[in-house]
Amino acid sequence: MSNETAIYLFRPDRLPTRQSFVAAETREAERLVRAVEVLEEERRELAQFQSDLTVGDETNCGLVIEIRGPLAEIAVPVNRHAPSGAGTFWSRIDRLAPPYTSVCSFGL
């Protein structure tokens, strides 16, 4: 029966150490904390935008032309059309966002 032997050469300065693992885990934990903070700030800004929404404000879908309770009527820009082909549509305010921050779902 034949037997094959492999020889591996390692450079000691290339081997990860316990300290490098701990440092990497610490950096990852800090990155996650920052990501959560950014996400919470974005959610606060979105909630503030939605609560302050008034007639004449621009949204990710178009211009607000009427507000009735939790709904807003949106005038679609001239270069786009609502799915029904109309120039306006109604959307829940909680589905609207500041302009250029997200894609319009047309209230769906």
Side-chain angles (χ1 to χ4, degrees):
M1 178 187 271
S2 66
N3 189 6
E4 294 183 13
T5 302
I7 298 174
Y8 297 96
L9 299 175
F10 294 103
R11 290 181 50 187
D13 60 328
R14 293 288 186 113
L15 293 174
T17 63
R18 178 183 281 288
Q19 291 173 337
S20 65
F21 280 116
V22 170
E25 296 236 346
T26 302
R27 284 192 305 273
E28 180 64 13
E30 291 170 352
R31 187 192 67 79
L32 289 175
V33 167
R34 285 192 306 273
V36 167
E37 290 171 352
V38 167
L39 183 60
E40 289 174 355
E41 179 62 27
E42 289 174 352
R43 285 182 179 161
R44 278 193 296 273
E45 288 174 0
L46 181 60
Q48 184 67 37
F49 172 81
Q50 292 169 346
S51 67
D52 293 344
L53 196 64
T54 59
V55 172
D57 286 349
E58 189 71 30
T59 70
N60 60 325
C61 293
L63 187 70
V64 177
I65 56 175
E66 187 175 349
I67 294 179
R68 289 186 190 167
L71 299 174
E73 185 176 15
I74 308 296
V76 181
V78 177
N79 60 348
R80 292 193 315 187
H81 294 286
S84 65
T88 65
F89 69 96
W90 286 89
S91 175
R92 293 187 55 85
I93 291 174
D94 59 2
R95 294 193 177 145
L96 298 174
Y100 312 110
T101 59
S102 64
V103 177
C104 180
S105 65
F106 295 102
L108 303 174

